[in-house]
Amino acid sequence: MSSEVIVGIDLGTTNSAVGVVESGFPILLADEEGRRLLPSAVWYGKEEEVEVGWTAKRRLALGGVVTSIKRLMGQEARAEEVSAEILKKLKRIAEHRLEQPISKAVITVPAYFNEAQRGATKRAGELAGLEVVRLLSEPTAAALAYGLGKMGELQRVAVYDLGGGTFDVSILEMREGQFEVQSTAGDTRLGGDDFDRLLASMVLGDDWEKGRDSLESARVMEEAERVKVTLSEQETATFRLPFLASGPVEKEISRREFEAGLTDFLKKTEACCRRAMADAGLEPAGIDAVVLAGGSTRVPAVREKVEAIFQRKVEEGVDPDESVGLGAAIQAGIISGAVREVVLLDVTPLSLGIETVGGLMNVIIPRNTTIPCKAGEMFTNAAAGQRSMRLRVLQGERELAGDNWELGAVEVPFEAEGKGQARVGVQFSLDANGMLEVLARDTKTGVDTVLTIETAAVDVTDERVEQMVSESVEHAFADMRARVFTEAKLKAEELLNSLEPALALAGEDLEEGELSAIRAAEARVRKEIEGGASNGPLLKAAVEELDQASERLAALVVEKAMGL
Ligand code: AMP
C-alpha cells in the first residue's frame, strides 16, 4: 500500500478547504494566517496577476473578481480555469503545511452534478497539477466526517447543507458498505447571502441597494454578515456603518427579529426536505441520522428547523462548514491507507490468502485493506514432476490454513521439470463490491486459470470477524509455534534430501572434522523433527547449524557440477 499523501478538497461555491488525515485524525490545513476556509474568489489583474482567496475577496468591490464560479462548472472552459486557480492555492497551502509535494486529491462535488460538471471538476484538478483519484459526493463526505458509515451502523442519513449561496438536502443509504445518494433536492439560489441581504433590509429598508455604488453595497453586505455571524452566538448585535454616503447607521438587532425574517427561507428548505424524503420513499421515522453541512446551519433557527422537520436531534461534534472538507480528507485517507483504524466496510474485514506447502496460510491481501484492490505473488512447485497444484483460497487470521475458512479451490496446471522450476503467478482482485477473482497464470505457457468467488469476500458478519480475530489472538503463540515448526521442517526436509546425493558427489573432498560436524547436525535435525510442533525454535536452530556445517559441501558440489 502506498504511503503517498492524498489530500481531500471541498471545492465550494463560497468557500473551499483542503484536509488530510494525520495520525488517524482528519484535519483541515490552515493557511499562513491560521484560516482553514479559503473564499472561493479569484482576482485577475490587468497584468495577468492572479490572487486567490482572502486577498481576492478583499478586492470584491473593485472589480476583476470572480466568485461562485462553481455555478458555471461544465458550461464553460473558463470555469475550469478559475476553479484550477482555487485548487492550486489549496495545493500550495497543503504543500506548505505538509512540507512535501502533493499530486493527488479527492475532490467533492454536489450530489446533483452531472457528467459534464464532474468532468469539468476533474479537469480543473488536472489543470492545477492534481490527479483526482476520486470525486466524492458532498453529502457522503459530510456523513463520513460525522463518523457515520461504519460497518453495520446507520442505514439512512439525511444531509442538510445550507451554504453561502446554495441549499441541498440529500438522503443517503448505506448499501454494500458504501453510501449511495437515494434522492436529492435543493435550491441553487438560496443561502447565507440571502440572510445577509435580509439583515441589510432590516436596517436600511428594502430598497437599500438603490443609488449605492458597488463599493458601498459590498460594505453593507460585509457588515450584515458580521452581524449575522454574531447573532449565531449572541442574543443581540449592533449593525454599525458610520461612513455611508447616506449618513451613519447604527442599529441593534435581536436574534428573535432576525430569525423571524428567516421563516420563508426555512419553509422553502422544508419543502425540499419533504420532497427528498418522498423521493426516497421515507418518512422522518425511517431516517437514522441527520447531518449538517454549510456555514449557514450555524444559525440556531436553522438547526431548530432541521430538528423539527426530521423529528430528531442533529449529529454533533463537527463544525458544519468543515464537514465536507473533513469528509473529503477521510476518503482520501482511506484511499491512501492513512486511515487504518477506522473499520469501514469498504476494507477487507479479514485477510485473504492461499494455502502453501506445509498447510500454512499465505496472506495475499491483509485484513483492513481498502477495496477495490489487487495483489499477487509468485509460487513454484514443491516437488519434481509435479504437473499441477491445488489452489485453496482462504479467509482468516490464523497461521495454519486448516484454521481459516476456505472460500473456494481450483486445480492449477503448469509445466515444470525439476522442483522449484514452475513459475505460477497468483493474483487476487477484489472489486468495490467485495467480489474476489483469483487468477493463476503459468508464466511459462501463459495459461490462465480463473476462480471467481461469488460470495462477497467482505460479506462477513461482525460476530464472525470478531470471533476470528479474537481466536487468532488467543492462539497467536500456538499458531506462531506451529508456523515456525512447519517452516523449519520444510527447510529441514529439503536439506536432508539433498545431503546424501551431495555427499556421494563430493563427500571425499571433505575434511574428517567437517564430515562429522555434518553428521552431528543431521542427527540433531532428525531428532528435533521427531519432537513435534513445540520444538519449532530448536528445529530452526538445528537446521541453521546443518546449513552452516554443510556450506563447504554445497560449494564443492557446485564446483564439481561446473567441472572446476
Ligand atoms: P459555506 O458555503 O458552507 O462556506 O457557508 C458560507 C455561509 O455560511 C456564508 O453565508 C456565511 O456567512 C455563513 N456562516 C458562516 N459562519 C456562520 C455563523 N457562525 N452563523 C451564521 N452564518 C454563518
Side-chain angles (χ1 to χ4, degrees), residues 10 13-16 37 161-165 191-193 195-196 225 228-230 232-233 293-299 320-321:
D10 167 10
T13 309
T14 319
N15 292 303
S16 295
L37 293 183
D161 183 347
L162 188 60
D193 298 349
F195 297 4
D196 302 342
E225 185 180 15
K228 173 186 75 174
V229 169
T230 309
S232 290
E233 302 297 324
S296 300
T297 60
R298 286 175 179 251
V299 174
D321 36 10

Side-chain angles (χ1 to χ4, degrees), residues 362-381:
N362 187 311
V363 173
I364 308 251
I365 298 179
R367 172 178 143 75
N368 279 346
T369 302
T370 311
I371 60 172
C373 58
K374 254 187 201 170
E377 247 176 74
M378 200 63 107
F379 293 91
T380 187
N381 54 325

